[in-house]
Every structure is written in C-alpha cells, then in structure tokens.
Amino acid sequence: MIEVSNVTKSYGGSEVVRGVTSSLPANGVTSIIGPNGAGKSTFLSMISRLLPMSSGQVTVDGMDILTADGDAMAKKLSILRQDNHLTARLTVRDLVAFGRYPHSKGRPTSEDLAHVERSISYLGLDNLTHRFLDELSGGQRQRAFIAMVLCQDTKYVLLDEPLNNLDMKHAVAMMQLFRRAADELSKSVVLVLHDINFASCYSDLIIAMRDGKLVRQGAPAEIVTTANIQEVFDLEARVEIVEGRSIVHFYL
Amino acid sequence: MKYFLLACLGVFALGVLSLFIGVSDVTPMTLLDPATSTHAFEMLMVSRVPRTLALVLAGAALSVAGLIMQMLVRNRFVEPSTAGTVESASLGLLVVMLLAPGLPVILKMLVAAAFAMAGTAVFLGILRRVPLRSEFIVPLIGLMLGGVIEAGTNFFAFRYDLLQSINAYMIGDFSAILRGRYELLWISFGLTCVAYVAADRFTVAGLGQDFTTNLGLDYRKVMALGMVIVSLVTATVVVTCGVIPFLGLVVPNIVRLVIGDHLRRTLPWVALLGAALVIACDIVARLVIAPYEIPIGTIMGVIGSGLFLYFLLRRRGYGE
C-alpha cells in the first residue's frame, strides 16, 4: 500500500499540490483524474520520489520513499513520466532490457531475458526490437517505454498519461494490459488519465483532483456522476450506463 | 566480436606502421643489420614506441571522455574542448607555472584536473539555468565559456611572458614524447577501464535523471563519477601532449551512427577508433612536410572541424 499523508508542493508562494492525504491500494488499477493544472502529474512525481515534496510523507509498504534505499525502491515501484525525450540512441530491445537494471545490474540472467521478451511481445513490439528509438513513431516509442517499465516487474507501476500518442486500438489494448497486470499478477497500477471513460471502464479506484486538492476518491460508479463531473471539471455532461459502466457524454 | 578483433588487428598494423615513420633511420632493415641495429633499436625504444603508445592511450582516453560527456550532458556536441574543460585545465597549468613552477608533473596534472573539474561544473551550472531550446545552444555555451577562460589565460600568460609555454599545451603535439615523458597517460588508460566497468551506469544516466532515479541509481553520483573521469583524462592528456581538439566529438558520433549508444557495446569501439584516428593523423602530421612536422592538434583541428560541421548539418532521423 502507498500511504500518502499531507503531501504539499509549492513553487515560490503558490501551492500546486495542497495537503493530499490518501492511500493507494496494493492491488488493482487506480486512475487519477482532474482538469489541467490540478496537480495530478506533480502528485504522481512526488509519490514516486522523482520530485521532492515541500512537506508531507509518503511510504510504500512501510518504506519511506525519501530514506529508503534507491535500489530496493526500484524493485518495488516503477514510474514513467509523460513527454519522455531521449537523446541516447538505443534500440527498443536495449531500452526494454534496461528496465531489468535494478535486478540484473547490467548482467542479465536468463530470467531477466525472459522478462524482456515477455514485455516486448505484450506490447506488440516484436518486429521493432532492433530499431533505434529515434526511428520510431511517437506511439511506438511510448509502447517501448511502457515495455521498459513493465519489464522492471515492480509491484507498483505508476504511469503519467500512458495513452499519450496511442491510437484507439492501442489505447484499448494498453488498458486491457494494465487490467491483466492487476488481475493476474496482482500488481497495483496507478495512472494519470485524461480520458475519463477509460478511467471509468478499467479502474478499481478513481481519485479526482482539482486545484491541487484531492476532492473525490472512490469506485468508478460513485465518482463518475453528472454532479461530480460538474464539480471536478466544471463541465456539464451527461452520464449514461452502458453495459454496467458509467460513460460520460461531453462531446455535444 | 569478430569485427572488433579485425579492427584491433588493423589498429595494431597502423601502430606498427607509425613506428617506422620519422627522421632517424629506423626500419625493419636497419633493426636487423648488425651494423646499425643498436642505434636503431635504441631509437625505437626511446622515441618511437613511447610515441605510438602515447598516441594510442591519448586517442582512446580522449574519445571515451567525449563519449561519457555526451551521455551525461545528453547532447551530441559536447566534449572536453567544447565545454570549457580543456581551457580550464590550461588555466590550471598557467597557475602552476606562475605560483609553483617546480611542481612534479603528476601534481601539475592534478592541479589541471581540479581546474578542469571546476570549469566543467561551471558549464553544467550554466546549462541548468539557461533554457535549452535547441541542442546547438549547449556547445555554443561551452565554446563561449572556453573562449572566456582562454582569453583570461592568454592575458595573464602575456603579462608574465608565458605565452609560448602555455601555447605548447594548447596545440597537441607528440614530437616531444620520449620514454619517461608519456607514462602519465597510463593513468588515463586506467580511467578508460573504469569507464568501461561503469558503462551501464553512464548509459542509464544518458536516459535522464527521472529514468536513472526510477532504476534505483543515484543520478548525482553517476554524474560526479563521469565528470571526475573526464577531468582527469583531459588533464593528463593536456599535460603530456597538449589539446587534441574535436577528437572526443567526432569519434563517438561516428560510432553512434552505426551501433548506437549502448555504452557496454560502443565504448570499446570508441576507444579503438579514437586510437586509430590519432595514429593516422599523427602519421599525416609527420609526412606532409617531412623532415619537419605539423602539430597533430592542427591536423585534427582541420579534420575534426570538417566532421563537426557535417554532424551539425546532417539531417536528423525520422520522428525527431
């Protein structure tokens, strides 16, 4: 379980994340939603130790993220930010294999290599393994990054807008993959998502943020309602139940 | 692996060739002829072998230093001579000349390394503060910083009548290499080996701070290790044979185009190709106006700046 207590981030005088307290389950898919500037990405970066927090505390299975050994943490929690720009010229396979670094320290065992192969085929990258990342399209590159993070094989997998650059087919496949990782490998996948309908259909838990605060937390059926959409996004939308899922209509 | 061994053989052959180029009469014939062999053999051991070894050691180490710098700064255009590192090392040498001219060469090298490290730290500090809208800004900042430091060095060198001594360090030249005057370069060979051991860390750091932290490595420690290696290598090479410009830029970029950036795989190639390029340039330097020599720094400057321009203007790959 990731316990977040009273986490705050401020730049200069303005607070981007204000006193968020929550606990993220050790298993299942958790989606963080909210309008632009709600502090979602900042929040995710802080609980994954990429960004120092101004105040507050985060523990992962009881380990404080600020004092825990970096290597031990890398075997427990992985994070992928959005907008990853790489200047290093690596092949897809090399990049994915670096996901095993916390385990292999650069000397991969056959078990490590099996993980690499599995991640590559999960993300449908079999035909691209020897291509350099700078020769790929945005969506292919995004899938390679996600393969790398999955290859790290951590209990907690944190992803900031993993559906970026993906077409509809790959976006659905990606969400199904996260669902399977949670159900079959009992991982905890924490996502920042912009598409509220994906969040509604695939999550066990939704956290809604606005103005740096956590404003709602609960199961999709409780969170995805007309009143909540109005409050969190300041948008009038219709919510319909399709095959047991709450679907938000906001295009018209 | 097969190709690498072949390439090693090629460089070895180039090295042997370089043993037999020069003013004094050292050829396989004179070595075998009893009448001349004593003198020829002494020439070989005192001058030719040290020179070729110095070329190999300096070429490999400087190229690898450039490679590490490019990974850590995440820019293809930096190397010790486009980041203020070399100029800072020279400034350090000037300070030694002014304040403690009698210092043993190893201490001179360490002072130069300390200055190189400080200069590189200033460079990295500027990079953190300046918005980097284009990758060309990075070498521009480095060249400007280097220019400022060099101007300061020249000013004080002029004031204290040391311009000629300091210029000897600024232009790479292997003609003064003799037995007993190049052994410092074995330190840079050792550092190259350290770099190979830590190759995976440098590749990970090349993915950026977030990826490095995610994979459980301490980004600042990897950066510090890399900068210590780069500064020490730069200082040893500048102290023993002077600046060889662009070498650390050209060689890693050629290797990158063909086999990418996985340092565990590319670092041996960078070292080998660096050695080969320096030997070849030195052979040219000794042949064009024989029996005189052109400093290798000049030859490398011409070839290197041409290749540098090529990489700057080269069209970028798909998706960039």
Short mmCIF file of all heavy atoms in Angstrom, two decimals, chain A residues 49-50 70-71 74 77-81 84-90 94 98-99 101-102 106 132 134-137 141 145 148 152, chain B residues 71 74-75 197 200-201 203-204 206-207 209-211 213-217 256-262 264-265 317-320:
data_model
loop_
_atom_site.label_atom_id
_atom_site.label_comp_id
_atom_site.label_asym_id
_atom_site.label_seq_id
_atom_site.Cartn_x
_atom_site.Cartn_y
_atom_site.Cartn_z
N ARG A 49 9.11 9.65 -5.87
CA ARG A 49 10.41 10.22 -5.47
C ARG A 49 11.15 10.95 -6.58
O ARG A 49 12.32 11.28 -6.45
CB ARG A 49 11.33 9.16 -4.84
CG ARG A 49 12.09 8.23 -5.83
CD ARG A 49 12.60 7.02 -5.10
NE ARG A 49 13.33 6.06 -5.90
CZ ARG A 49 12.84 5.32 -6.90
NH1 ARG A 49 11.58 5.51 -7.29
NH2 ARG A 49 13.59 4.43 -7.51
N LEU A 50 10.49 11.22 -7.72
CA LEU A 50 11.18 11.97 -8.77
C LEU A 50 11.24 13.46 -8.43
O LEU A 50 12.11 14.17 -8.90
CB LEU A 50 10.47 11.79 -10.12
CG LEU A 50 10.47 10.38 -10.70
CD1 LEU A 50 9.90 10.39 -12.10
CD2 LEU A 50 11.87 9.78 -10.69
N GLY A 70 17.60 3.42 -2.76
CA GLY A 70 17.11 3.63 -4.13
C GLY A 70 16.94 2.34 -4.89
O GLY A 70 15.97 2.15 -5.64
N ASP A 71 17.86 1.42 -4.68
CA ASP A 71 17.84 0.17 -5.40
C ASP A 71 16.65 -0.70 -4.96
O ASP A 71 15.94 -1.28 -5.78
CB ASP A 71 19.17 -0.55 -5.13
CG ASP A 71 19.36 -1.70 -6.05
OD1 ASP A 71 19.16 -1.51 -7.27
OD2 ASP A 71 19.68 -2.80 -5.58
N ALA A 74 13.55 0.66 -6.38
CA ALA A 74 13.42 0.42 -7.82
C ALA A 74 12.89 -0.98 -8.12
O ALA A 74 12.43 -1.25 -9.22
CB ALA A 74 14.77 0.63 -8.52
N LEU A 77 8.79 -0.21 -6.98
CA LEU A 77 7.96 0.81 -7.61
C LEU A 77 8.64 1.33 -8.87
O LEU A 77 9.83 1.62 -8.86
CB LEU A 77 7.75 1.95 -6.59
CG LEU A 77 6.96 3.19 -6.99
CD1 LEU A 77 6.20 3.70 -5.78
CD2 LEU A 77 7.87 4.29 -7.52
N SER A 78 7.87 1.41 -9.96
CA SER A 78 8.43 1.99 -11.18
C SER A 78 7.54 3.14 -11.62
O SER A 78 6.35 3.19 -11.30
CB SER A 78 8.53 0.94 -12.27
OG SER A 78 7.28 0.33 -12.49
N ILE A 79 8.14 4.08 -12.35
CA ILE A 79 7.41 5.28 -12.75
C ILE A 79 7.80 5.65 -14.18
O ILE A 79 8.96 5.58 -14.55
CB ILE A 79 7.73 6.46 -11.79
CG1 ILE A 79 7.30 7.82 -12.34
CG2 ILE A 79 9.22 6.53 -11.47
CD1 ILE A 79 5.87 8.15 -12.16
N LEU A 80 6.81 6.04 -14.96
CA LEU A 80 7.08 6.60 -16.28
C LEU A 80 6.37 7.93 -16.36
O LEU A 80 5.16 8.02 -16.19
CB LEU A 80 6.57 5.67 -17.38
CG LEU A 80 6.83 6.18 -18.80
CD1 LEU A 80 8.30 6.13 -19.14
CD2 LEU A 80 6.03 5.37 -19.82
N ARG A 81 7.15 8.97 -16.60
CA ARG A 81 6.55 10.29 -16.76
C ARG A 81 6.06 10.47 -18.19
O ARG A 81 6.38 9.70 -19.07
CB ARG A 81 7.59 11.36 -16.45
CG ARG A 81 7.69 11.68 -14.99
CD ARG A 81 8.68 12.77 -14.79
NE ARG A 81 8.13 13.83 -13.97
CZ ARG A 81 8.87 14.78 -13.41
NH1 ARG A 81 10.16 14.83 -13.64
NH2 ARG A 81 8.32 15.70 -12.68
N ASN A 84 8.62 11.85 -22.63
CA ASN A 84 9.99 11.39 -22.45
C ASN A 84 10.77 11.66 -23.72
O ASN A 84 10.46 11.13 -24.77
CB ASN A 84 9.99 9.91 -22.13
CG ASN A 84 9.30 9.64 -20.82
OD1 ASN A 84 9.79 10.01 -19.78
ND2 ASN A 84 8.12 9.05 -20.89
N HIS A 85 11.76 12.51 -23.59
CA HIS A 85 12.57 12.82 -24.76
C HIS A 85 13.95 12.22 -24.55
O HIS A 85 14.66 12.58 -23.64
CB HIS A 85 12.67 14.33 -24.95
CG HIS A 85 13.46 14.69 -26.16
ND1 HIS A 85 12.95 14.60 -27.44
CD2 HIS A 85 14.73 15.10 -26.29
CE1 HIS A 85 13.87 14.95 -28.31
NE2 HIS A 85 14.97 15.26 -27.64
N LEU A 86 14.31 11.29 -25.41
CA LEU A 86 15.61 10.64 -25.26
C LEU A 86 16.57 11.15 -26.30
O LEU A 86 16.23 11.23 -27.48
CB LEU A 86 15.47 9.13 -25.44
CG LEU A 86 15.01 8.33 -24.24
CD1 LEU A 86 15.39 6.87 -24.44
CD2 LEU A 86 15.60 8.83 -22.96
N THR A 87 17.79 11.47 -25.89
CA THR A 87 18.81 11.81 -26.87
C THR A 87 19.69 10.59 -27.13
O THR A 87 20.34 10.50 -28.15
CB THR A 87 19.69 12.96 -26.36
OG1 THR A 87 19.98 12.73 -25.00
CG2 THR A 87 18.99 14.29 -26.50
N ALA A 88 19.71 9.66 -26.17
CA ALA A 88 20.53 8.46 -26.34
C ALA A 88 19.94 7.61 -27.47
O ALA A 88 18.74 7.47 -27.59
CB ALA A 88 20.57 7.67 -25.05
N ARG A 89 20.83 7.09 -28.30
CA ARG A 89 20.39 6.27 -29.42
C ARG A 89 20.45 4.80 -29.01
O ARG A 89 21.52 4.18 -29.04
CB ARG A 89 21.33 6.55 -30.60
CG ARG A 89 20.78 6.20 -31.95
CD ARG A 89 21.62 6.88 -33.01
NE ARG A 89 21.99 5.99 -34.09
CZ ARG A 89 21.24 5.75 -35.15
NH1 ARG A 89 20.08 6.36 -35.29
NH2 ARG A 89 21.64 4.94 -36.09
N LEU A 90 19.29 4.29 -28.59
CA LEU A 90 19.23 2.90 -28.14
C LEU A 90 18.21 2.15 -28.98
O LEU A 90 17.26 2.74 -29.48
CB LEU A 90 18.77 2.83 -26.68
CG LEU A 90 19.73 3.31 -25.60
CD1 LEU A 90 19.07 3.21 -24.24
CD2 LEU A 90 21.01 2.51 -25.62
N ASP A 94 17.32 -2.82 -26.27
CA ASP A 94 18.23 -2.28 -25.25
C ASP A 94 17.46 -1.50 -24.20
O ASP A 94 17.69 -1.64 -23.00
CB ASP A 94 19.27 -1.35 -25.89
CG ASP A 94 20.30 -2.11 -26.70
OD1 ASP A 94 20.42 -3.32 -26.49
OD2 ASP A 94 20.97 -1.48 -27.54
N PHE A 98 16.99 -2.38 -20.18
CA PHE A 98 17.43 -1.53 -19.07
C PHE A 98 16.38 -1.49 -17.96
O PHE A 98 16.70 -1.15 -16.83
CB PHE A 98 17.77 -0.13 -19.54
CG PHE A 98 19.22 0.00 -19.90
CD1 PHE A 98 19.62 0.22 -21.20
CD2 PHE A 98 20.18 -0.13 -18.91
CE1 PHE A 98 20.97 0.30 -21.52
CE2 PHE A 98 21.54 -0.05 -19.22
CZ PHE A 98 21.92 0.17 -20.53
N GLY A 99 15.14 -1.85 -18.28
CA GLY A 99 14.13 -1.99 -17.23
C GLY A 99 14.52 -3.04 -16.20
O GLY A 99 14.09 -3.00 -15.05
N TYR A 101 17.48 -3.37 -15.06
CA TYR A 101 18.72 -2.96 -14.40
C TYR A 101 18.72 -3.16 -12.87
O TYR A 101 19.70 -3.66 -12.32
CB TYR A 101 19.07 -1.50 -14.75
CG TYR A 101 20.43 -1.10 -14.25
CD1 TYR A 101 21.57 -1.38 -14.99
CD2 TYR A 101 20.59 -0.52 -13.00
CE1 TYR A 101 22.83 -1.06 -14.52
CE2 TYR A 101 21.85 -0.20 -12.51
CZ TYR A 101 22.96 -0.47 -13.28
OH TYR A 101 24.20 -0.16 -12.79
N PRO A 102 17.60 -2.80 -12.19
CA PRO A 102 17.63 -2.99 -10.72
C PRO A 102 17.87 -4.44 -10.33
O PRO A 102 18.44 -4.72 -9.30
CB PRO A 102 16.24 -2.52 -10.28
CG PRO A 102 15.78 -1.63 -11.37
CD PRO A 102 16.38 -2.16 -12.64
N GLY A 106 23.00 -4.85 -15.16
CA GLY A 106 23.70 -4.87 -16.44
C GLY A 106 24.20 -6.24 -16.86
O GLY A 106 24.75 -6.39 -17.94
N PHE A 132 16.18 1.62 -33.80
CA PHE A 132 16.56 2.65 -32.83
C PHE A 132 15.33 3.48 -32.47
O PHE A 132 14.45 3.71 -33.31
CB PHE A 132 17.65 3.56 -33.42
CG PHE A 132 19.00 2.92 -33.45
CD1 PHE A 132 19.60 2.57 -34.65
CD2 PHE A 132 19.68 2.67 -32.27
CE1 PHE A 132 20.84 1.98 -34.67
CE2 PHE A 132 20.94 2.08 -32.28
CZ PHE A 132 21.52 1.75 -33.49
N ASP A 134 14.95 6.58 -32.09
CA ASP A 134 14.74 7.81 -32.87
C ASP A 134 14.22 7.51 -34.27
O ASP A 134 14.00 8.41 -35.05
CB ASP A 134 16.01 8.67 -32.90
CG ASP A 134 17.21 7.91 -33.44
OD1 ASP A 134 17.07 6.74 -33.81
OD2 ASP A 134 18.30 8.51 -33.51
N GLU A 135 14.04 6.22 -34.57
CA GLU A 135 13.48 5.88 -35.88
C GLU A 135 12.02 5.44 -35.75
O GLU A 135 11.43 4.94 -36.70
CB GLU A 135 14.30 4.72 -36.50
CG GLU A 135 15.74 5.09 -36.79
CD GLU A 135 16.62 3.88 -37.03
OE1 GLU A 135 16.16 2.74 -36.79
OE2 GLU A 135 17.77 4.09 -37.44
N LEU A 136 11.43 5.62 -34.56
CA LEU A 136 10.06 5.14 -34.34
C LEU A 136 9.07 6.29 -34.32
O LEU A 136 9.44 7.44 -34.10
CB LEU A 136 9.98 4.42 -32.99
CG LEU A 136 10.86 3.19 -32.78
CD1 LEU A 136 10.60 2.60 -31.41
CD2 LEU A 136 10.60 2.16 -33.85
N SER A 137 7.81 5.97 -34.50
CA SER A 137 6.76 6.98 -34.35
C SER A 137 6.50 7.20 -32.87
O SER A 137 6.93 6.41 -32.02
CB SER A 137 5.49 6.51 -35.04
OG SER A 137 4.86 5.53 -34.25
N ARG A 141 7.17 4.55 -29.77
CA ARG A 141 8.14 4.87 -28.73
C ARG A 141 7.48 4.78 -27.35
O ARG A 141 8.06 4.24 -26.41
CB ARG A 141 8.68 6.28 -28.97
CG ARG A 141 10.10 6.45 -28.54
CD ARG A 141 10.62 7.82 -28.88
NE ARG A 141 10.50 8.12 -30.29
CZ ARG A 141 10.45 9.35 -30.79
NH1 ARG A 141 10.50 10.38 -29.99
NH2 ARG A 141 10.35 9.54 -32.08
N PHE A 145 8.60 2.52 -24.09
CA PHE A 145 8.82 2.99 -22.73
C PHE A 145 8.00 2.18 -21.73
O PHE A 145 8.46 1.83 -20.65
CB PHE A 145 8.45 4.47 -22.59
CG PHE A 145 9.45 5.41 -23.19
CD1 PHE A 145 9.07 6.44 -24.04
CD2 PHE A 145 10.80 5.27 -22.91
CE1 PHE A 145 9.99 7.30 -24.59
CE2 PHE A 145 11.73 6.14 -23.45
CZ PHE A 145 11.33 7.15 -24.29
N MET A 148 9.46 -1.09 -21.11
CA MET A 148 10.60 -0.98 -20.21
C MET A 148 10.15 -0.99 -18.75
O MET A 148 10.71 -1.69 -17.90
CB MET A 148 11.36 0.31 -20.51
CG MET A 148 12.47 0.59 -19.54
SD MET A 148 13.12 2.26 -19.79
CE MET A 148 14.40 2.27 -18.56
N GLN A 152 10.51 -3.97 -15.59
CA GLN A 152 11.10 -3.74 -14.27
C GLN A 152 10.41 -4.64 -13.22
O GLN A 152 10.95 -4.90 -12.18
CB GLN A 152 10.95 -2.26 -13.91
CG GLN A 152 11.98 -1.73 -12.94
CD GLN A 152 11.88 -0.21 -12.81
OE1 GLN A 152 11.50 0.49 -13.75
NE2 GLN A 152 12.22 0.30 -11.65
N MET B 71 26.97 11.53 -23.06
CA MET B 71 25.89 10.81 -22.38
C MET B 71 25.39 11.60 -21.18
O MET B 71 24.19 11.72 -20.97
CB MET B 71 26.38 9.44 -21.90
CG MET B 71 26.60 8.43 -22.99
SD MET B 71 25.21 8.26 -24.13
CE MET B 71 24.12 7.18 -23.23
N ARG B 74 23.75 14.78 -22.18
CA ARG B 74 22.68 14.42 -23.11
C ARG B 74 22.68 15.35 -24.31
O ARG B 74 21.64 15.89 -24.70
CB ARG B 74 21.31 14.45 -22.39
CG ARG B 74 21.29 13.57 -21.15
CD ARG B 74 19.97 13.62 -20.47
NE ARG B 74 18.97 12.92 -21.27
CZ ARG B 74 17.67 13.10 -21.16
NH1 ARG B 74 17.20 13.98 -20.32
NH2 ARG B 74 16.83 12.43 -21.90
N ASN B 75 23.85 15.52 -24.86
CA ASN B 75 23.98 16.36 -26.05
C ASN B 75 25.11 15.79 -26.89
O ASN B 75 26.18 15.46 -26.38
CB ASN B 75 24.29 17.80 -25.62
CG ASN B 75 24.31 18.74 -26.80
OD1 ASN B 75 25.22 18.70 -27.61
ND2 ASN B 75 23.30 19.56 -26.91
N VAL B 197 33.90 -0.35 -16.92
CA VAL B 197 33.22 -1.07 -15.84
C VAL B 197 31.89 -0.39 -15.52
O VAL B 197 30.87 -1.03 -15.28
CB VAL B 197 34.12 -1.12 -14.59
CG1 VAL B 197 33.36 -1.68 -13.39
CG2 VAL B 197 35.36 -1.98 -14.88
N ASP B 200 27.29 0.77 -17.97
CA ASP B 200 25.83 0.72 -17.90
C ASP B 200 25.26 1.90 -17.12
O ASP B 200 24.21 2.42 -17.45
CB ASP B 200 25.37 -0.60 -17.26
CG ASP B 200 25.51 -1.75 -18.24
OD1 ASP B 200 25.13 -1.56 -19.41
OD2 ASP B 200 25.98 -2.82 -17.84
N ARG B 201 25.99 2.31 -16.06
CA ARG B 201 25.52 3.47 -15.30
C ARG B 201 25.46 4.71 -16.18
O ARG B 201 24.53 5.51 -16.09
CB ARG B 201 26.45 3.76 -14.13
CG ARG B 201 26.33 2.74 -13.03
CD ARG B 201 27.57 2.72 -12.18
NE ARG B 201 27.52 1.56 -11.32
CZ ARG B 201 27.01 1.60 -10.09
NH1 ARG B 201 26.60 2.72 -9.57
NH2 ARG B 201 26.93 0.51 -9.37
N THR B 203 25.12 4.81 -19.44
CA THR B 203 24.02 4.70 -20.39
C THR B 203 22.70 5.07 -19.71
O THR B 203 21.89 5.81 -20.26
CB THR B 203 23.91 3.27 -20.97
OG1 THR B 203 25.20 2.84 -21.36
CG2 THR B 203 22.98 3.25 -22.16
N VAL B 204 22.51 4.54 -18.49
CA VAL B 204 21.27 4.85 -17.77
C VAL B 204 21.17 6.36 -17.51
O VAL B 204 20.13 6.98 -17.75
CB VAL B 204 21.21 4.06 -16.43
CG1 VAL B 204 20.07 4.57 -15.57
CG2 VAL B 204 21.02 2.58 -16.71
N GLY B 206 22.36 8.59 -19.26
CA GLY B 206 22.07 9.22 -20.55
C GLY B 206 20.58 9.23 -20.87
O GLY B 206 20.14 9.96 -21.76
N LEU B 207 19.80 8.42 -20.14
CA LEU B 207 18.34 8.44 -20.35
C LEU B 207 17.70 9.59 -19.59
O LEU B 207 16.52 9.86 -19.76
CB LEU B 207 17.71 7.11 -19.89
CG LEU B 207 18.23 5.83 -20.54
CD1 LEU B 207 17.59 4.60 -19.89
CD2 LEU B 207 17.95 5.82 -22.03
N GLN B 209 17.55 12.11 -15.70
CA GLN B 209 17.50 11.96 -14.24
C GLN B 209 16.32 11.10 -13.80
O GLN B 209 16.46 10.27 -12.90
CB GLN B 209 17.43 13.35 -13.59
CG GLN B 209 17.42 13.26 -12.07
CD GLN B 209 17.78 14.56 -11.41
OE1 GLN B 209 17.86 15.61 -12.06
NE2 GLN B 209 18.01 14.53 -10.12
N ASP B 210 15.16 11.28 -14.43
CA ASP B 210 13.98 10.52 -14.00
C ASP B 210 14.16 9.02 -14.20
O ASP B 210 13.86 8.23 -13.32
CB ASP B 210 12.73 10.99 -14.77
CG ASP B 210 12.32 12.39 -14.36
OD1 ASP B 210 12.81 12.86 -13.32
OD2 ASP B 210 11.53 13.01 -15.08
N PHE B 211 14.65 8.65 -15.39
CA PHE B 211 14.86 7.23 -15.66
C PHE B 211 15.90 6.67 -14.70
O PHE B 211 15.77 5.54 -14.21
CB PHE B 211 15.33 7.03 -17.10
CG PHE B 211 14.21 7.03 -18.10
CD1 PHE B 211 13.87 8.18 -18.78
CD2 PHE B 211 13.48 5.87 -18.35
CE1 PHE B 211 12.83 8.19 -19.70
CE2 PHE B 211 12.45 5.87 -19.27
CZ PHE B 211 12.12 7.02 -19.94
N THR B 213 16.71 7.69 -11.64
CA THR B 213 16.13 7.51 -10.31
C THR B 213 15.20 6.31 -10.30
O THR B 213 15.22 5.48 -9.38
CB THR B 213 15.34 8.77 -9.91
OG1 THR B 213 16.17 9.91 -10.09
CG2 THR B 213 14.89 8.70 -8.46
N ASN B 214 14.39 6.19 -11.35
CA ASN B 214 13.45 5.08 -11.43
C ASN B 214 14.17 3.74 -11.37
O ASN B 214 13.67 2.79 -10.78
CB ASN B 214 12.64 5.18 -12.72
CG ASN B 214 11.76 3.96 -12.94
OD1 ASN B 214 11.11 3.49 -12.01
ND2 ASN B 214 11.78 3.41 -14.14
N LEU B 215 15.37 3.68 -11.98
CA LEU B 215 16.10 2.41 -12.00
C LEU B 215 16.98 2.24 -10.76
O LEU B 215 17.81 1.34 -10.70
CB LEU B 215 16.94 2.30 -13.27
CG LEU B 215 16.09 2.19 -14.55
CD1 LEU B 215 16.98 2.14 -15.79
CD2 LEU B 215 15.20 0.96 -14.53
N GLY B 216 16.80 3.14 -9.78
CA GLY B 216 17.43 2.93 -8.49
C GLY B 216 18.86 3.43 -8.39
O GLY B 216 19.56 3.09 -7.45
N LEU B 217 19.31 4.22 -9.37
CA LEU B 217 20.68 4.75 -9.30
C LEU B 217 20.65 6.18 -8.79
O LEU B 217 19.69 6.92 -9.01
CB LEU B 217 21.32 4.74 -10.70
CG LEU B 217 21.86 3.40 -11.18
CD1 LEU B 217 22.32 3.52 -12.63
CD2 LEU B 217 23.00 2.96 -10.31
N ARG B 256 28.21 6.16 -32.87
CA ARG B 256 26.79 6.23 -32.55
C ARG B 256 25.92 6.00 -33.78
O ARG B 256 24.92 5.29 -33.73
CB ARG B 256 26.46 7.60 -31.96
CG ARG B 256 24.96 7.89 -31.90
CD ARG B 256 24.68 9.17 -31.17
NE ARG B 256 25.32 9.13 -29.88
CZ ARG B 256 26.11 10.09 -29.40
NH1 ARG B 256 26.33 11.16 -30.11
NH2 ARG B 256 26.65 9.96 -28.23
N LEU B 257 26.33 6.60 -34.90
CA LEU B 257 25.53 6.46 -36.12
C LEU B 257 25.39 4.99 -36.49
O LEU B 257 24.35 4.57 -36.97
CB LEU B 257 26.21 7.19 -37.28
CG LEU B 257 25.97 8.69 -37.36
CD1 LEU B 257 26.64 9.25 -38.59
CD2 LEU B 257 24.47 8.97 -37.41
N VAL B 258 26.45 4.22 -36.29
CA VAL B 258 26.42 2.82 -36.74
C VAL B 258 25.83 1.90 -35.68
O VAL B 258 24.92 1.12 -35.98
CB VAL B 258 27.85 2.36 -37.11
CG1 VAL B 258 27.80 0.95 -37.69
CG2 VAL B 258 28.46 3.32 -38.11
N ILE B 259 26.31 1.96 -34.44
CA ILE B 259 25.83 0.98 -33.46
C ILE B 259 25.13 1.58 -32.26
O ILE B 259 24.80 0.86 -31.33
CB ILE B 259 26.96 0.02 -32.98
CG1 ILE B 259 28.18 0.80 -32.50
CG2 ILE B 259 27.35 -0.96 -34.06
CD1 ILE B 259 29.21 -0.10 -31.87
N GLY B 260 24.86 2.87 -32.25
CA GLY B 260 24.01 3.43 -31.20
C GLY B 260 24.77 3.87 -29.96
O GLY B 260 25.95 4.21 -30.03
N ASP B 261 24.07 3.83 -28.81
CA ASP B 261 24.57 4.45 -27.59
C ASP B 261 24.66 3.49 -26.41
O ASP B 261 24.78 3.93 -25.28
CB ASP B 261 23.63 5.59 -27.17
CG ASP B 261 24.13 6.91 -27.70
OD1 ASP B 261 25.35 7.07 -27.82
OD2 ASP B 261 23.29 7.78 -27.97
N HIS B 262 24.56 2.19 -26.64
CA HIS B 262 24.66 1.26 -25.52
C HIS B 262 26.14 1.14 -25.17
O HIS B 262 26.87 0.40 -25.81
CB HIS B 262 24.08 -0.09 -25.93
CG HIS B 262 23.78 -0.98 -24.76
ND1 HIS B 262 24.63 -1.09 -23.69
CD2 HIS B 262 22.73 -1.79 -24.50
CE1 HIS B 262 24.10 -1.94 -22.82
NE2 HIS B 262 22.96 -2.37 -23.29
N ARG B 264 28.06 -0.27 -23.08
CA ARG B 264 28.74 -1.55 -22.88
C ARG B 264 29.26 -2.06 -24.23
O ARG B 264 30.30 -2.66 -24.32
CB ARG B 264 27.75 -2.54 -22.25
CG ARG B 264 28.27 -3.92 -22.02
CD ARG B 264 29.29 -4.05 -20.89
NE ARG B 264 28.81 -3.66 -19.59
CZ ARG B 264 29.60 -3.18 -18.63
NH1 ARG B 264 30.89 -3.02 -18.86
NH2 ARG B 264 29.11 -2.86 -17.46
N ARG B 265 28.50 -1.79 -25.28
CA ARG B 265 28.86 -2.25 -26.61
C ARG B 265 29.73 -1.23 -27.36
O ARG B 265 30.63 -1.60 -28.09
CB ARG B 265 27.57 -2.50 -27.41
CG ARG B 265 27.56 -3.84 -28.10
CD ARG B 265 26.20 -4.07 -28.75
NE ARG B 265 25.14 -4.30 -27.77
CZ ARG B 265 23.90 -3.82 -27.89
NH1 ARG B 265 23.58 -3.07 -28.91
NH2 ARG B 265 23.00 -4.10 -26.98
N GLY B 317 17.07 12.04 -38.00
CA GLY B 317 16.29 10.84 -38.32
C GLY B 317 14.79 11.06 -38.26
O GLY B 317 14.31 12.09 -37.79
N TYR B 318 14.06 10.09 -38.69
CA TYR B 318 12.60 10.09 -38.69
C TYR B 318 12.08 10.22 -37.27
O TYR B 318 12.60 9.63 -36.34
CB TYR B 318 12.13 8.79 -39.35
CG TYR B 318 10.72 8.38 -39.08
CD1 TYR B 318 9.65 9.20 -39.43
CD2 TYR B 318 10.44 7.15 -38.48
CE1 TYR B 318 8.35 8.82 -39.19
CE2 TYR B 318 9.15 6.76 -38.25
CZ TYR B 318 8.10 7.60 -38.58
OH TYR B 318 6.82 7.21 -38.35
N GLY B 319 11.05 11.06 -37.13
CA GLY B 319 10.41 11.16 -35.82
C GLY B 319 11.07 12.16 -34.88
O GLY B 319 10.72 12.22 -33.72
N GLU B 320 12.04 12.92 -35.38
CA GLU B 320 12.68 13.90 -34.50
C GLU B 320 12.24 15.30 -34.88
O GLU B 320 12.06 15.59 -36.03
CB GLU B 320 14.21 13.81 -34.66
CG GLU B 320 14.79 12.58 -33.99
CD GLU B 320 14.90 12.74 -32.48
OE1 GLU B 320 15.32 13.81 -32.04
OE2 GLU B 320 14.52 11.81 -31.77
#
